[in-house]
Amino acid sequence: MKDQFRLIEFNLNGKDVAKMVDCRASLTDMLRDDYRMTSVKKGCEVGECGACNVIIDGECYNSCIYLAVWAKGKKIRTLESLLGPNGELSDIQQAFIDETAVQCGFCTPGFIMTAIEILETGKEYSDDELRKQLSGHLCRCTGYENILRAVKKTMYKRLGKPMPTAT
């Protein structure tokens, strides 16, 4: 096929990279196969489960329905970008552990990337707003309440506010 492959240049987790990609390949496949970003999970492959979520230019996307060629010139972040210089976990990753929001862990990277998008707005959200923003994910193991609590706890901590007590 003529023009089946294209060279794309983009920024992956803070590093400028270039890759020749098949125009039909998904961003998920490129990130996993070519860059070993194993946090980007292959779940439903139709954009419904959220396991493949990555942040592209500050906004979360399901990478399974985002073509790799569309990454040209973009800044893409995966869960791997959250680790500190010595491998230390980010605040939201630690909150997921502290709140027992992780069981099998398959959906966790996608949830955390959505949480990063939420947290980086610097806004305070209600429980209903957080639930709506996290609703694009499927988890078969945990109660969503633990995940909500981890995001909420981190949101309040980043805002410098005390976590409200349950009434």
Side-chain angles (χ1 to χ4, degrees):
M1 263 180 98
K2 186 181 176 190
D3 298 325
Q4 180 179 343
F5 293 91
R6 292 213 181 114
L7 177 67
I8 60 165
E9 295 173 344
F10 61 101
N11 185 286
L12 177 60
N13 296 332
K15 181 181 177 186
D16 291 331
V17 295
K19 189 73 187 165
M20 189 67 75
V21 297
D22 186 321
C23 292
R24 302 166 296 177
S26 71
L27 182 58
T28 300
D29 287 337
M30 180 185 70
L31 292 173
R32 288 184 61 81
D33 298 343
D34 298 329
Y35 293 99
R36 302 294 179 238
M37 296 293 131
T38 57
S39 72
V40 182
K41 304 299 183 196
K42 286 183 91 166
C44 67
E45 296 190 71
V46 294
E48 298 207 1
C49 73
C52 66
N53 271 15
V54 298
I55 295 179
I56 303 171
D57 290 342
E59 187 176 342
C60 247
Y61 286 90
N62 293 27
S63 64
C64 69
I65 56 173
Y66 193 98
L67 292 176
V69 293
W70 296 342
K72 183 178 182 177
K74 305 288 186 185
K75 289 184 180 178
I76 298 171
R77 291 168 60 200
T78 67
L79 186 75
E80 287 84 356
S81 73
L82 301 182
L83 290 177
N86 297 313
E88 54 276 64
L89 298 177
S90 67
D91 57 352
I92 186 63
Q93 290 170 297
Q94 189 60 55
F96 265 65
I97 293 168
D98 295 345
E99 298 300 324
T100 321
V102 179
Q103 284 188 16
C104 88
F106 190 82
C107 68
T108 304
F111 265 113
I112 290 176
M113 295 314 290
T114 296
I116 289 295
E117 180 188 36
I118 292 166
L119 296 167
E120 288 182 350
T121 67
K123 296 178 185 175
E124 183 176 336
Y125 295 96
S126 69
D127 286 1
D128 287 342
E129 290 169 325
L130 288 174
R131 280 187 184 92
K132 183 175 182 180
Q133 290 187 354
L134 294 167
S135 68
H137 294 271
L138 299 177
C139 176
R140 295 180 181 192
C141 300
T142 69
Y144 289 96
E145 290 304 309
N146 296 0
I147 293 167
L148 176 68
R149 197 169 43 254
V151 175
K152 187 175 174 179
K153 174 183 176 180
T154 306
M155 176 186 70
Y156 280 107
K157 186 175 182 181
R158 286 190 181 190
L159 292 171
K161 295 182 174 186
M163 177 89 160
T165 55
T167 54

